[in-house]
Amino acid sequence: MKQYKKTYELKNIAKDRLDGKYTNAILIFFLNTIIAGAVHLFISTVASTTINTIYFSTGSESASTVISFLFDLILLAANIVLSVMNAGITLYFLNIACGQQFMIRDLFYGYRTDSSKILIIASVMVLCQAVCLWPGQYLAQNYLTTREPLWLIYGAIAFGAGLCVYIPVFLGIEMSFYLMLDFPQYSARQVLSQCWRIMKGQRLRLFCLELSFLPLLLLCILSFGIGFLWVNPYMQMTYTYFFLDLMNPKETSNS
């Protein structure tokens, strides 16, 4: 009979393993945030300038809406490319957990090795979020232009429905980058299907593990985001040990 580690055990192991390694672990998340933030800021600035220019020159709201939608697609594509760095973060923490050499340049692993496979997996993850959550966000945004409370209600309903779909689906593929690194011979499709298979019966356990970080995340918000510097590595290290425990649980006798 398989016996998996409890949430507090995984978190304690992660905390002990990160002892003395927080500086570089913080740095790799900091670099990821800075790069992603710079890309998002650039796209948002260009989008805002372009939309305002078109609106003032044509006076057409429909034209501005079309341009806004095009920039949303550009931002979506950028998120997919940026999500490739998540494979590098996964590799970095997996190396720490397994006692292998870990380096900051691991962050860019996905851009130099198995890039097409990683890009497909990243695309599935980002598109899953977009398809499930964007409709609610778009409906809610209509409130800002119309000031009609009904749009907020529509947005809340759509967002809630999307969240109900997104959570179980994403939990089923969340360990994909770990599985890809553990089985490099798998194609992207095999990684995603195998991840979905091994997560059957385990999604609730992973969900509860993620919920256990909520108090810390709230404290991070109260600290104006500074706490995320320490909490993000802690969470990632815990998810790493969740995967290792998932793939190699302790066997116990029924007798």
Side-chain angles (χ1 to χ4, degrees):
M1 179 180 178
K2 295 179 180 179
Q3 182 177 339
Y4 297 100
K5 288 183 174 63
K6 294 179 171 56
T7 293
Y8 76 89
E9 292 178 306
L10 294 172
K11 295 171 81 171
N12 286 339
I13 296 171
K15 191 184 302 180
D16 292 340
R17 192 62 175 171
L18 277 174
D19 188 32
K21 304 179 182 70
Y22 261 107
T23 302
N24 284 341
I26 289 172
L27 181 57
I28 199 169
F29 271 104
F30 182 73
L31 286 174
N32 179 53
T33 302
I34 290 296
I35 294 170
V39 172
H40 287 166
L41 179 61
F42 175 76
I43 294 174
S44 298
T45 301
V46 173
S48 178
T49 303
T50 304
I51 291 169
N52 288 334
T53 300
I54 289 176
Y55 180 75
F56 285 122
S57 61
T58 65
S60 172
E61 288 190 6
S62 59
S64 299
T65 301
V66 171
I67 297 300
S68 177
F69 180 72
L70 289 176
F71 272 104
D72 283 340
L73 292 180
I74 292 172
L75 188 60
L76 179 64
N79 285 336
I80 291 173
V81 175
L82 290 169
S83 291
V84 171
M85 286 191 288
N86 289 335
I89 292 174
T90 301
L91 173 65
Y92 181 85
F93 283 88
L94 199 56
N95 282 339
I96 293 177
C98 296
Q100 302 295 320
Q101 186 179 16
F102 52 93
M103 298 170 286
I104 295 299
R105 67 187 181 93
D106 288 339
L107 177 64
F108 307 106
Y109 167 84
Y111 299 108
R112 63 178 188 269
T113 308
D114 291 331
S115 54
S116 59
K117 183 197 302 185
I118 294 172
L119 194 61
I120 292 172
I121 296 172
S123 298
V124 171
M125 290 182 165
V126 173
L127 290 173
C128 172
Q129 182 183 42
V131 169
C132 293
L133 303 183
W134 273 21
Q137 294 175 15
Y138 271 109
L139 289 172
Q141 283 174 0
N142 284 331
Y143 170 76
L144 299 177
T145 54
T146 64
R147 295 299 176 183
E148 294 183 11
L150 201 59
W151 283 114
L152 283 178
I153 298 174
Y154 290 152
I157 293 173
F159 188 79
L163 205 60
C164 290
V165 176
Y166 172 72
I167 290 176
V169 171
F170 190 77
L171 287 172
I173 60 174
E174 191 170 351
M175 296 287 114
S176 293
F177 283 136
Y178 287 105
L179 195 66
M180 180 203 72
L181 293 168
D182 209 18
F183 297 92
Q185 72 275 17
Y186 284 0
S187 66
R189 182 176 180 178
Q190 287 175 316
V191 168
L192 291 166
S193 62
Q194 281 292 97
C195 188
W196 185 265
R197 183 185 63 80
I198 66 172
M199 284 302 295
K200 284 184 178 179
Q202 299 298 321
R203 281 179 287 187
L204 180 59
R205 195 164 72 94
L206 178 56
F207 184 60
C208 290
L209 175 62
E210 293 179 345
L211 286 180
S212 72
F213 287 107
L214 274 181
L216 280 178
L217 294 176
L218 290 175
L219 288 176
C220 289
I221 295 172
L222 294 176
S223 69
F224 301 100
I226 297 175
F228 285 110
L229 292 173
W230 285 269
V231 172
N232 280 335
Y234 177 36
M235 291 173 62
Q236 189 71 42
M237 194 79 255
T238 305
Y239 297 149
T240 300
Y241 278 107
F242 174 90
F243 172 76
L244 294 175
D245 183 54
L246 180 67
M247 300 304 292
N248 190 28
K250 182 179 178 181
E251 296 287 346
T252 60
S253 174
N254 290 327
S255 57

